[in-house]
């Protein structure tokens, strides 16, 4: 495993660990998801540069577009949750009350 692959896999795993262990606020979960998507985008971009193939050149941009859509949907949910519940703490959310 090269040092760059190790760096990106470690970054992804740290984002996944942050998502798994720090689930108190919705904003921290969204930031961990964005960190994971950023590491995936950089790793996929470097992978397409290493392969020097034009068939994979659109993949990082497609991943970036999906990441932007995920971020906007997450922020919309954050605003809606904060307006209805008064907080972004995940312990205050209950699916049975909806």
């Amino acid at each position: 495993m090269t040092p760059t692959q190790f760096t990106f896999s470690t970054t992804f795993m740290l984002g996944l660990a942050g998502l798994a262990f720090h689930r108190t606020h919705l904003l921290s979960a969204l930031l961990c998801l964005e960190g994971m998507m950023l590491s995936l985008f950089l790793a996929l971009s470097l992978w397409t540069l290493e392969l020097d193939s034009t068939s994979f050149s659109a993949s990082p941009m497609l991943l970036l577009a999906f990441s932007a859509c995920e971020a906007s949907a997450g922020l919309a949910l954050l605003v809606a949750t904060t307006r209805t519940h008064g907080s972004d703490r995940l312990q205050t959310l209950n699916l049975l009350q909806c």
Side-chain angles (χ1 to χ4, degrees):
M1 180 179 281
T2 63
T4 55
Q5 289 174 344
F6 177 73
T7 303
F8 291 129
S9 63
T10 304
T11 306
F12 182 80
M13 291 307 231
L14 283 174
L16 188 63
L19 185 62
F21 296 128
H22 301 292
R23 295 182 301 172
T24 56
H25 293 280
L26 185 59
L27 185 61
S28 65
L30 289 174
L31 283 174
C32 289
L33 281 174
E34 286 303 312
M36 291 169 56
M37 291 300 284
L38 182 64
S39 69
L40 281 177
F41 170 71
L42 290 174
L44 192 61
S45 298
L46 286 178
W47 182 60
T48 56
L49 285 175
E50 287 175 2
L51 286 180
D52 200 25
S53 175
T54 58
S55 62
F56 294 122
S57 61
S59 299
M61 294 307 290
L62 187 65
L63 182 72
L64 196 61
F66 282 127
S67 176
C69 292
E70 176 258 333
S72 66
L75 287 176
L77 284 173
L78 177 72
V79 168
T81 302
T82 305
R83 283 185 180 171
T84 58
H85 295 286
S87 174
D88 71 332
R89 292 184 58 87
L90 294 176
Q91 283 83 15
T92 61
L93 301 177
N94 189 358
L95 291 176
L96 298 176
Q97 292 179 350
C98 293

